[in-house]
Amino acid sequence: MKYQCTRDSSVTVTASQAIVQGIAKNGGLFVPETLPAYTLADLTAMNGQSYFDRAAKVVSDFLPEFTPEEIEECVQGAYGGGKFSGGHPAPVVAVKDGDCAMNILELWHGPTCAFKDMALQLLPHLLTHSLRKTKCEKTAVILVATSGDTGKAALEGFKDVKGTEMLVFYPENGVSPMQKRQMNTQEGSNVSVCAIEGNFDDAQTGVKKLFVDPAINEKLHANGMLFSSANSINWGRLLPQIVYYVSAYSDLMERGAIQPGDPINVVVPTGNFGNILAGYYASKMGLPVNKFICASNSNNVLTDFLKTGEYNRNRDFHATISPSMDILISSNLERLLYDVTGHDCKKVAGWMQELSEKGCYKVDDETFQKISAVFDAGFCSDEDTKKTIRQVYDNAGYLCDTHTAVAVKVYEDYVARTGDKTPTVIDSTASPYKFASSVLSAVDDQYDDKMDEFDKVERLSKLTGTEVPAPIAGLKEKPVRFQNVCEKEQMGDVLLRLLGLA
Ligand SMILES: *Cc1c(COP(=O)(O)O)cnc(C)c1O
């Protein structure tokens, strides 16, 4: 299986090259030329299997140059060793809110309590094997732009991984206090963290510029280093996410919630469009999915796109209580466009150029029809997010985080609008404790905003009788290691200084 570039299909690379490079030189993204095809028998064969076995099957089907032993090592290294709490890295929990039955796919049992762990625990293993396979003896310098969760999950995944150096940029005022604390207390001799004065899109744009900056690339090269990426533009981030859609379907079959072959709906709280795209790939491989419902917060650029075919980032940016979705440029949409146009790289490159020059583009009717056949969309305000947290907690005794609540609200609106009763999986992307202030304010009638963050965590636990995840409970005692802040124009200087190349 080869991988090709979304902006020039004639550029093809192996899986390991795609993972090492992260992004193509022309700014395009790597995608598999063809997808593996799963029959219903393949899917039912996974009933009763462990998450490890399911992951090994899916991951190996995309990485032909990896041996079964290597795959096993990667999968065990990522999901084994007690790094994920509970017996299942991605359990499905049945929740009933009034008439609305939901299957909540909990993706936050990993070391940083957000769904990014599902991919970022596996990526370092895929990358180190890929570096070896591509005969690359250089140190991989991994730059990350984060709206909060990616940064911490990447730091945790890559800390002390040999042959890698990591620098994370986050928007100074665009992450939750808990997220900031998680990143600034990170351990590991090969990692650094820096806040920037700007929003997430500034951080992402800055990182993309560094990746293609000729002077910086030359300097790295001369010092035995090269850039790689842990952002969701890297194929090695998307691949691990396909696994949990397949796994959730098996779990639902196993418990008789669906019969083999029954279609499901999938609701995904969405920012960069990586998570929902992985689900889309699973459906292209044969997973029976009726609709993907894309849930956004008030940064609703995707809702508008999926309803009109016009993508327009020229709008106000809102800092919301679901900050991991505060994004106006959803990079992975490019991969969807490449797929639905039948790999028309000229069209895709044209739209991406319009996006970068004018901030907007409109897809043709045929493309739009194809997308609307599979995707529905909606968005949710902060006020409704809090109301939903409260309502699900009161009605079902289930405590969800702000991002998950956005998905629940958008799903309930969808059901009210369409009457569609297809069994539905809702991705839960973070532990409520990661966004303790907002969650507590939703469920606590005596909420006091001035309380210290860790006191809020404790109060949330007492009030709801839920357990504080160990990685969050342990943070209080950890010393702060990083306090760097820079302007967005200084990101290159910060990088060179930290690598000792300034
Ligand atoms: C990253 C993130 C999202 C958005 O996922 P995308 O793959 O970027 O669409 C949603 N919720 C949480 C908690 C996240 O960390």
Side-chain angles (χ1 to χ4, degrees):
M1 179 190 288
K2 285 282 198 177
Y3 286 71
Q4 49 187 206
C5 167
T6 50
R7 296 189 197 175
D8 180 357
S9 325
S10 70
V11 175
T12 59
V13 296
T14 63
S16 343
Q17 283 169 330
I19 291 169
V20 169
Q21 273 190 44
I23 186 168
K25 291 206 175 64
N26 62 8
L29 309 182
F30 292 117
V31 292
E33 260 173 359
T34 54
L35 294 167
Y38 287 5
T39 62
L40 207 48
D42 291 327
L43 294 172
T44 48
M46 291 194 211
N47 293 2
Q49 282 188 356
S50 68
Y51 194 81
F52 299 98
D53 293 337
R54 292 169 182 170
K57 160 79 179 142
V58 175
V59 170
S60 64
D61 287 337
F62 283 91
L63 303 177
E65 65 269 39
F66 280 56
T67 66
E69 292 71 31
E70 287 170 335
I71 296 281
E72 185 65 22
E73 199 187 308
C74 289
V75 167
Q76 286 294 341
Y79 304 115
K83 282 200 228 151
F84 284 75
S85 65
H88 193 323
V92 180
V93 179
V95 172
K96 206 159 181 321
D97 178 17
D99 287 345
C100 250
M102 307 176 269
N103 298 287
I104 306 256
L105 173 56
E106 292 184 346
L107 300 171
W108 42 262
H109 293 280
T112 77
C113 305
F115 95 97
K116 306 277 193 308
D117 287 329
M118 300 303 298
L120 279 161
Q121 282 298 315
L122 186 56
L123 179 65
H125 298 278
L126 300 180
L127 180 66
T128 39
H129 283 289
S130 297
L131 282 165
R132 223 180 27 247
K133 284 176 194 299
T134 53
K135 305 244 177 342
C136 178
E137 298 189 342
K138 294 199 156 85
T139 299
V141 176
I142 297 149
L143 291 184
V144 177
T146 184
S147 54
D149 290 333
T150 301
K152 178 60 184 179
L155 289 161
E156 201 51 42
F158 279 93
K159 71 171 177 209
D160 295 323
V161 171
K162 279 208 199 80
T164 68
E165 289 283 340
M166 165 164 281
L167 172 56
V168 171
F169 291 104
Y170 70 85
E172 166 77 343
N173 296 313
V175 302
S176 79
M178 192 59 76
Q179 289 176 315
K180 195 177 279 191
R181 176 96 186 179
Q182 279 188 312
M183 288 189 277
N184 288 344
T185 56
Q186 178 65 42
E187 291 156 0
S189 58
N190 62 334
V191 300
S192 291
V193 175
C194 183
I196 69 153
E197 291 166 0
N199 61 31
F200 170 70
D201 288 314
D202 294 325
Q204 179 160 261
T205 306
V207 161
K208 281 187 183 162
K209 275 191 192 142
L210 292 181
F211 268 121
V212 296
D213 183 307
I216 291 184
N217 274 283
E218 219 165 88
K219 211 161 211 174
L220 292 195
H221 189 76
N223 288 278
M225 301 178 184
L226 90 173
F227 274 134
S228 188
S229 157
N231 273 101
S232 61
I233 48 174
N234 191 318
W235 176 254
R237 274 283 300 277
L238 281 177
L239 172 54
Q241 301 183 356
I242 296 174
V243 177
Y244 50 72
Y245 289 101
V246 175
S247 172
Y249 193 84
S250 291
D251 284 346
L252 289 177
M253 279 194 283
E254 234 177 276
R255 69 178 67 157
I258 55 171
Q259 296 307 309
D262 281 356
I264 56 169
N265 286 338
V266 174
V267 190
V268 186
T270 296
N272 223 357
F273 209 75
N275 198 1
I276 197 167
L277 181 75
Y280 173 78
Y281 282 135
S283 76
K284 295 281 290 193
M285 290 159 64
L287 197 76
V289 177
N290 171 49
K291 280 274 178 194
F292 288 98
I293 299 157
C294 176
S296 301
N297 60 29
S298 43
N299 295 294
N300 57 357
V301 59
L302 282 169
T303 316
D304 290 347
F305 172 72
L306 294 170
K307 292 203 185 255
T308 66
E310 180 173 32
Y311 195 96
N312 191 343
R313 63 151 304 190
N314 300 314
R315 59 179 74 207
D316 289 339
F317 177 90
H318 302 283
T320 73
I321 59 170
S322 44
S324 306
M325 294 154 46
D326 290 349
I327 290 177
L328 292 178
I329 303 177
S330 300
S331 304
N332 271 303
L333 195 57
E334 179 168 350
R335 286 185 162 112
L336 176 71
L337 296 174
Y338 188 73
D339 189 84
V340 294
T341 56
H343 298 190
D344 190 334
C345 59
K346 281 219 181 73
K347 259 190 193 166
V348 172
W351 291 327
M352 291 306 120
Q353 191 169 350
E354 284 182 63
L355 179 63
S356 105
E357 284 167 7
K358 298 187 299 191
C360 62
Y361 61 89
K362 190 171 192 335
V363 299
D364 54 89
D365 268 353
E366 192 192 342
T367 303
F368 179 60
Q369 294 311 328
K370 280 193 182 150
I371 294 174
S372 349
V374 192
F375 287 89
D376 204 292
F379 71 98
C380 172
S381 67
D382 278 357
E383 195 191 335
D384 282 342
T385 304
K386 285 194 185 180
K387 271 194 201 147
T388 304
I389 292 173
R390 179 68 183 244
Q391 171 201 319
V392 174
Y393 181 66
D394 285 348
N395 292 348
Y398 186 81
L399 190 65
C400 63
D401 96 293
T402 47
H403 304 77
T404 309
V406 165
V408 169
K409 170 72 169 127
V410 167
Y411 173 58
E412 294 187 344
D413 289 349
Y414 168 84
V415 172
R417 170 161 50 86
T418 61
D420 181 0
K421 287 287 167 67
T422 305
T424 295
V425 167
I426 299 186
D427 284 8
S428 175
T429 49
S431 156
Y433 285 93
K434 207 158 176 178
F435 301 93
S437 296
S438 305
V439 174
L440 184 63
S441 76
V443 295
D444 185 357
D445 293 329
Q446 273 109 49
Y447 176 72
D448 172 8
D449 192 46
K450 287 188 289 297
M451 246 177 161
D452 165 83
E453 189 69 14
F454 287 101
D455 292 339
K456 287 180 185 165
V457 164
E458 246 164 62
R459 167 128 182 110
L460 185 60
S461 176
K462 280 225 182 74
L463 189 71
T464 62
T466 56
E467 210 176 311
V468 184
I472 287 184
L475 270 185
K476 198 173 172 179
E477 308 306 327
K478 283 203 177 158
V480 169
R481 270 186 80 197
F482 302 105
Q483 290 177 314
N484 315 318
V485 186
C486 77
E487 288 168 29
K488 57 191 182 198
E489 294 77 19
Q490 299 172 322
M491 291 165 65
D493 301 337
V494 171
L495 170 70
L496 292 176
R497 201 170 64 236
L498 289 170
L499 292 174
L501 305 180

